């Protein structure tokens, strides 16, 4: 699948690592920046990735900042985007299976490389369960 990825200066090193990782899983990564460690504003990259997902140019998004929180707040302003901050495998699995999350947000200052790889693997492999969860996801957009 095609995955749009982005990060700020706090997440750029992990983002670069995860780009290679998801490509190794057989996905196509569309890296929307940042590049380098100069200080940047995380919403700029969250909006790039969220726009790509909302427009159907990417199936899933991956955003990395210090905590993942600011990226999720910005990405979730986009209609059709459900961004989830995940720190462990259970959260990553449930965010896909129950919430149909389409953007994974990771905190580079919170989780290590190994956990981050596992989050990406689980997020990309887990299917949305639909059924009663579809009704609930529909209600997210219905407010
Ligand atoms: C940058 O220092 C930090 O605030 C940012 O990466 C992120 O954690 C915001 O949510």
């Amino acid at each position: 699948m095609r995955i749009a990825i982005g990060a700020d200066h706090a997440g750029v090193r992990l983002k670069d690592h995860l780009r290679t990782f998801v490509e190794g899983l057989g996905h196509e990564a569309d890296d929307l920046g940042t590049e380098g460690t100069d200080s940047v504003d995380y919403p700029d990259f969250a909006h790039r990735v969220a726009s790509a997902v909302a427009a159907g140019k990417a199936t899933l998004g991956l955003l990395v900042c210090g905590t993942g929180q600011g990226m999720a707040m910005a990405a979730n302003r986009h209609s059709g985007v459900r961004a989830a901050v995940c720190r462990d495998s259970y959260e990553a699995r449930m965010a896909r299976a129950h919430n149909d999350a389409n953007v994974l947000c990771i905190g580079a200052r919170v989780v290590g490389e190994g956990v981050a790889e596992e989050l990406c693997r689980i997020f990309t492999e887990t299917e949305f369960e639909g059924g009663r969860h579809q009704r609930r996801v529909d209600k997210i957009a219905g407010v």
Side-chain angles (χ1 to χ4, degrees):
M1 72 181 63
R2 192 170 174 87
I3 304 173
I5 65 175
D8 71 357
H9 53 285
V12 66
R13 204 189 66 81
L14 183 58
K15 180 263 290 175
D16 290 345
H17 177 83
L18 294 174
R19 181 185 61 226
T20 305
F21 179 76
V22 298
E23 286 172 346
L25 293 177
H27 302 296
E28 193 180 341
D30 191 7
D31 190 341
L32 301 178
T34 189
E35 290 164 19
T37 53
D38 287 354
S39 184
V40 292
D41 299 334
Y42 60 83
D44 296 338
F45 300 91
H47 290 314
R48 286 186 194 178
V49 167
S51 296
V53 172
K57 293 178 183 163
T59 310
L60 294 179
L62 167 64
L63 285 165
V64 190
C65 65
T67 60
Q69 300 290 353
M71 287 296 201
M73 290 176 194
N76 277 323
R77 301 302 300 265
H78 292 247
S79 177
V81 169
R82 289 172 299 281
V85 182
C86 299
R87 284 145 294 215
D88 62 38
S89 54
Y90 182 78
E91 285 184 308
R93 192 163 65 254
M94 287 300 126
R96 285 286 310 124
H98 285 192
N99 310 117
D100 199 17
N102 50 14
V103 176
L104 169 63
C105 300
I106 296 179
R109 295 172 178 162
V110 181
V111 302
E113 253 177 32
V115 171
E117 287 180 3
E118 197 62 4
L119 296 175
C120 289
R121 192 183 60 74
I122 290 167
F123 199 81
T124 55
E125 287 178 359
T126 304
E127 297 287 336
F128 177 48
E129 288 178 11
R132 68 187 186 283
H133 301 296
Q134 183 65 63
R135 182 181 69 243
R136 294 164 185 166
V137 167
D138 289 345
K139 287 186 178 183
I140 295 174
V143 293

mmCIF file with all atom_site columns, all heavy atoms in Angstrom, residues 78-90:
data_model
loop_
_atom_site.group_PDB
_atom_site.id
_atom_site.type_symbol
_atom_site.label_atom_id
_atom_site.label_alt_id
_atom_site.label_comp_id
_atom_site.label_asym_id
_atom_site.label_entity_id
_atom_site.label_seq_id
_atom_site.pdbx_PDB_ins_code
_atom_site.Cartn_x
_atom_site.Cartn_y
_atom_site.Cartn_z
_atom_site.occupancy
_atom_site.B_iso_or_equiv
_atom_site.pdbx_formal_charge
_atom_site.auth_seq_id
_atom_site.auth_comp_id
_atom_site.auth_asym_id
_atom_site.auth_atom_id
_atom_site.pdbx_PDB_model_num
ATOM 1  N N   . HIS A 1 78 ? -8.710  17.168 9.615  1.00 0.00 ? 78 HIS A N   1
ATOM 2  C CA  . HIS A 1 78 ? -9.065  16.871 8.228  1.00 0.00 ? 78 HIS A CA  1
ATOM 3  C C   . HIS A 1 78 ? -10.217 15.872 8.181  1.00 0.00 ? 78 HIS A C   1
ATOM 4  O O   . HIS A 1 78 ? -10.148 14.817 8.820  1.00 0.00 ? 78 HIS A O   1
ATOM 5  C CB  . HIS A 1 78 ? -7.867  16.295 7.472  1.00 0.00 ? 78 HIS A CB  1
ATOM 6  C CG  . HIS A 1 78 ? -6.765  17.295 7.270  1.00 0.00 ? 78 HIS A CG  1
ATOM 7  N ND1 . HIS A 1 78 ? -6.419  17.785 6.028  1.00 0.00 ? 78 HIS A ND1 1
ATOM 8  C CD2 . HIS A 1 78 ? -5.947  17.906 8.159  1.00 0.00 ? 78 HIS A CD2 1
ATOM 9  C CE1 . HIS A 1 78 ? -5.442  18.663 6.155  1.00 0.00 ? 78 HIS A CE1 1
ATOM 10 N NE2 . HIS A 1 78 ? -5.128  18.749 7.443  1.00 0.00 ? 78 HIS A NE2 1
ATOM 11 N N   . SER A 1 79 ? -11.231 16.196 7.398  1.00 0.00 ? 79 SER A N   1
ATOM 12 C CA  . SER A 1 79 ? -12.373 15.307 7.233  1.00 0.00 ? 79 SER A CA  1
ATOM 13 C C   . SER A 1 79 ? -11.914 13.960 6.660  1.00 0.00 ? 79 SER A C   1
ATOM 14 O O   . SER A 1 79 ? -11.153 13.930 5.691  1.00 0.00 ? 79 SER A O   1
ATOM 15 C CB  . SER A 1 79 ? -13.378 15.976 6.287  1.00 0.00 ? 79 SER A CB  1
ATOM 16 O OG  . SER A 1 79 ? -14.450 15.115 6.052  1.00 0.00 ? 79 SER A OG  1
ATOM 17 N N   . GLY A 1 80 ? -12.371 12.879 7.269  1.00 0.00 ? 80 GLY A N   1
ATOM 18 C CA  . GLY A 1 80 ? -12.014 11.542 6.784  1.00 0.00 ? 80 GLY A CA  1
ATOM 19 C C   . GLY A 1 80 ? -10.723 11.008 7.346  1.00 0.00 ? 80 GLY A C   1
ATOM 20 O O   . GLY A 1 80 ? -10.355 9.862  7.074  1.00 0.00 ? 80 GLY A O   1
ATOM 21 N N   . VAL A 1 81 ? -10.021 11.825 8.117  1.00 0.00 ? 81 VAL A N   1
ATOM 22 C CA  . VAL A 1 81 ? -8.767  11.366 8.731  1.00 0.00 ? 81 VAL A CA  1
ATOM 23 C C   . VAL A 1 81 ? -9.033  10.991 10.180 1.00 0.00 ? 81 VAL A C   1
ATOM 24 O O   . VAL A 1 81 ? -9.681  11.733 10.914 1.00 0.00 ? 81 VAL A O   1
ATOM 25 C CB  . VAL A 1 81 ? -7.679  12.462 8.642  1.00 0.00 ? 81 VAL A CB  1
ATOM 26 C CG1 . VAL A 1 81 ? -6.480  12.111 9.511  1.00 0.00 ? 81 VAL A CG1 1
ATOM 27 C CG2 . VAL A 1 81 ? -7.254  12.646 7.180  1.00 0.00 ? 81 VAL A CG2 1
ATOM 28 N N   . ARG A 1 82 ? -8.564  9.804  10.540 1.00 0.00 ? 82 ARG A N   1
ATOM 29 C CA  . ARG A 1 82 ? -8.635  9.340  11.931 1.00 0.00 ? 82 ARG A CA  1
ATOM 30 C C   . ARG A 1 82 ? -7.214  8.994  12.360 1.00 0.00 ? 82 ARG A C   1
ATOM 31 O O   . ARG A 1 82 ? -6.690  7.938  12.014 1.00 0.00 ? 82 ARG A O   1
ATOM 32 C CB  . ARG A 1 82 ? -9.581  8.135  12.051 1.00 0.00 ? 82 ARG A CB  1
ATOM 33 C CG  . ARG A 1 82 ? -11.055 8.488  11.863 1.00 0.00 ? 82 ARG A CG  1
ATOM 34 C CD  . ARG A 1 82 ? -11.940 7.267  11.788 1.00 0.00 ? 82 ARG A CD  1
ATOM 35 N NE  . ARG A 1 82 ? -11.586 6.427  10.649 1.00 0.00 ? 82 ARG A NE  1
ATOM 36 C CZ  . ARG A 1 82 ? -11.942 6.673  9.388  1.00 0.00 ? 82 ARG A CZ  1
ATOM 37 N NH1 . ARG A 1 82 ? -12.690 7.725  9.090  1.00 0.00 ? 82 ARG A NH1 1
ATOM 38 N NH2 . ARG A 1 82 ? -11.561 5.868  8.419  1.00 0.00 ? 82 ARG A NH2 1
ATOM 39 N N   . ALA A 1 83 ? -6.614  9.940  13.051 1.00 0.00 ? 83 ALA A N   1
ATOM 40 C CA  . ALA A 1 83 ? -5.213  9.785  13.471 1.00 0.00 ? 83 ALA A CA  1
ATOM 41 C C   . ALA A 1 83 ? -5.161  9.315  14.914 1.00 0.00 ? 83 ALA A C   1
ATOM 42 O O   . ALA A 1 83 ? -5.868  9.853  15.774 1.00 0.00 ? 83 ALA A O   1
ATOM 43 C CB  . ALA A 1 83 ? -4.481  11.116 13.317 1.00 0.00 ? 83 ALA A CB  1
ATOM 44 N N   . ALA A 1 84 ? -4.325  8.322  15.184 1.00 0.00 ? 84 ALA A N   1
ATOM 45 C CA  . ALA A 1 84 ? -4.230  7.739  16.523 1.00 0.00 ? 84 ALA A CA  1
ATOM 46 C C   . ALA A 1 84 ? -2.784  7.753  17.002 1.00 0.00 ? 84 ALA A C   1
ATOM 47 O O   . ALA A 1 84 ? -1.874  7.335  16.277 1.00 0.00 ? 84 ALA A O   1
ATOM 48 C CB  . ALA A 1 84 ? -4.745  6.301  16.501 1.00 0.00 ? 84 ALA A CB  1
ATOM 49 N N   . VAL A 1 85 ? -2.595  8.250  18.212 1.00 0.00 ? 85 VAL A N   1
ATOM 50 C CA  . VAL A 1 85 ? -1.281  8.149  18.857 1.00 0.00 ? 85 VAL A CA  1
ATOM 51 C C   . VAL A 1 85 ? -1.199  6.757  19.471 1.00 0.00 ? 85 VAL A C   1
ATOM 52 O O   . VAL A 1 85 ? -2.048  6.377  20.273 1.00 0.00 ? 85 VAL A O   1
ATOM 53 C CB  . VAL A 1 85 ? -1.118  9.200  19.977 1.00 0.00 ? 85 VAL A CB  1
ATOM 54 C CG1 . VAL A 1 85 ? 0.272   9.092  20.595 1.00 0.00 ? 85 VAL A CG1 1
ATOM 55 C CG2 . VAL A 1 85 ? -1.359  10.597 19.454 1.00 0.00 ? 85 VAL A CG2 1
ATOM 56 N N   . CYS A 1 86 ? -0.186  5.994  19.089 1.00 0.00 ? 86 CYS A N   1
ATOM 57 C CA  . CYS A 1 86 ? -0.044  4.631  19.595 1.00 0.00 ? 86 CYS A CA  1
ATOM 58 C C   . CYS A 1 86 ? 1.335   4.449  20.222 1.00 0.00 ? 86 CYS A C   1
ATOM 59 O O   . CYS A 1 86 ? 2.337   4.884  19.658 1.00 0.00 ? 86 CYS A O   1
ATOM 60 C CB  . CYS A 1 86 ? -0.242  3.608  18.475 1.00 0.00 ? 86 CYS A CB  1
ATOM 61 S SG  . CYS A 1 86 ? -1.878  3.673  17.722 1.00 0.00 ? 86 CYS A SG  1
ATOM 62 N N   . ARG A 1 87 ? 1.339   3.821  21.374 1.00 0.00 ? 87 ARG A N   1
ATOM 63 C CA  . ARG A 1 87 ? 2.597   3.568  22.095 1.00 0.00 ? 87 ARG A CA  1
ATOM 64 C C   . ARG A 1 87 ? 2.892   2.088  22.244 1.00 0.00 ? 87 ARG A C   1
ATOM 65 O O   . ARG A 1 87 ? 3.997   1.691  22.584 1.00 0.00 ? 87 ARG A O   1
ATOM 66 C CB  . ARG A 1 87 ? 2.552   4.190  23.494 1.00 0.00 ? 87 ARG A CB  1
ATOM 67 C CG  . ARG A 1 87 ? 2.737   5.674  23.502 1.00 0.00 ? 87 ARG A CG  1
ATOM 68 C CD  . ARG A 1 87 ? 1.918   6.307  24.586 1.00 0.00 ? 87 ARG A CD  1
ATOM 69 N NE  . ARG A 1 87 ? 0.502   6.118  24.283 1.00 0.00 ? 87 ARG A NE  1
ATOM 70 C CZ  . ARG A 1 87 ? -0.452  7.001  24.558 1.00 0.00 ? 87 ARG A CZ  1
ATOM 71 N NH1 . ARG A 1 87 ? -0.164  8.103  25.191 1.00 0.00 ? 87 ARG A NH1 1
ATOM 72 N NH2 . ARG A 1 87 ? -1.713  6.765  24.226 1.00 0.00 ? 87 ARG A NH2 1
ATOM 73 N N   . ASP A 1 88 ? 1.864   1.261  22.061 1.00 0.00 ? 88 ASP A N   1
ATOM 74 C CA  . ASP A 1 88 ? 2.101   -0.182 22.189 1.00 0.00 ? 88 ASP A CA  1
ATOM 75 C C   . ASP A 1 88 ? 1.287   -0.936 21.149 1.00 0.00 ? 88 ASP A C   1
ATOM 76 O O   . ASP A 1 88 ? 0.424   -0.363 20.478 1.00 0.00 ? 88 ASP A O   1
ATOM 77 C CB  . ASP A 1 88 ? 1.839   -0.669 23.621 1.00 0.00 ? 88 ASP A CB  1
ATOM 78 C CG  . ASP A 1 88 ? 0.402   -0.478 24.067 1.00 0.00 ? 88 ASP A CG  1
ATOM 79 O OD1 . ASP A 1 88 ? -0.507  -0.661 23.241 1.00 0.00 ? 88 ASP A OD1 1
ATOM 80 O OD2 . ASP A 1 88 ? 0.195   -0.150 25.244 1.00 0.00 ? 88 ASP A OD2 1
ATOM 81 N N   . SER A 1 89 ? 1.579   -2.223 21.036 1.00 0.00 ? 89 SER A N   1
ATOM 82 C CA  . SER A 1 89 ? 0.991   -3.022 19.965 1.00 0.00 ? 89 SER A CA  1
ATOM 83 C C   . SER A 1 89 ? -0.524  -3.148 20.110 1.00 0.00 ? 89 SER A C   1
ATOM 84 O O   . SER A 1 89 ? -1.245  -3.168 19.113 1.00 0.00 ? 89 SER A O   1
ATOM 85 C CB  . SER A 1 89 ? 1.648   -4.400 19.910 1.00 0.00 ? 89 SER A CB  1
ATOM 86 O OG  . SER A 1 89 ? 1.576   -5.017 21.168 1.00 0.00 ? 89 SER A OG  1
ATOM 87 N N   . TYR A 1 90 ? -1.007  -3.182 21.344 1.00 0.00 ? 90 TYR A N   1
ATOM 88 C CA  . TYR A 1 90 ? -2.463  -3.288 21.553 1.00 0.00 ? 90 TYR A CA  1
ATOM 89 C C   . TYR A 1 90 ? -3.166  -2.046 21.008 1.00 0.00 ? 90 TYR A C   1
ATOM 90 O O   . TYR A 1 90 ? -4.180  -2.150 20.305 1.00 0.00 ? 90 TYR A O   1
ATOM 91 C CB  . TYR A 1 90 ? -2.770  -3.477 23.049 1.00 0.00 ? 90 TYR A CB  1
ATOM 92 C CG  . TYR A 1 90 ? -4.236  -3.635 23.331 1.00 0.00 ? 90 TYR A CG  1
ATOM 93 C CD1 . TYR A 1 90 ? -4.888  -4.841 23.099 1.00 0.00 ? 90 TYR A CD1 1
ATOM 94 C CD2 . TYR A 1 90 ? -4.994  -2.559 23.806 1.00 0.00 ? 90 TYR A CD2 1
ATOM 95 C CE1 . TYR A 1 90 ? -6.246  -4.979 23.336 1.00 0.00 ? 90 TYR A CE1 1
ATOM 96 C CE2 . TYR A 1 90 ? -6.344  -2.688 24.050 1.00 0.00 ? 90 TYR A CE2 1
ATOM 97 C CZ  . TYR A 1 90 ? -6.974  -3.899 23.817 1.00 0.00 ? 90 TYR A CZ  1
ATOM 98 O OH  . TYR A 1 90 ? -8.309  -4.027 24.050 1.00 0.00 ? 90 TYR A OH  1
#
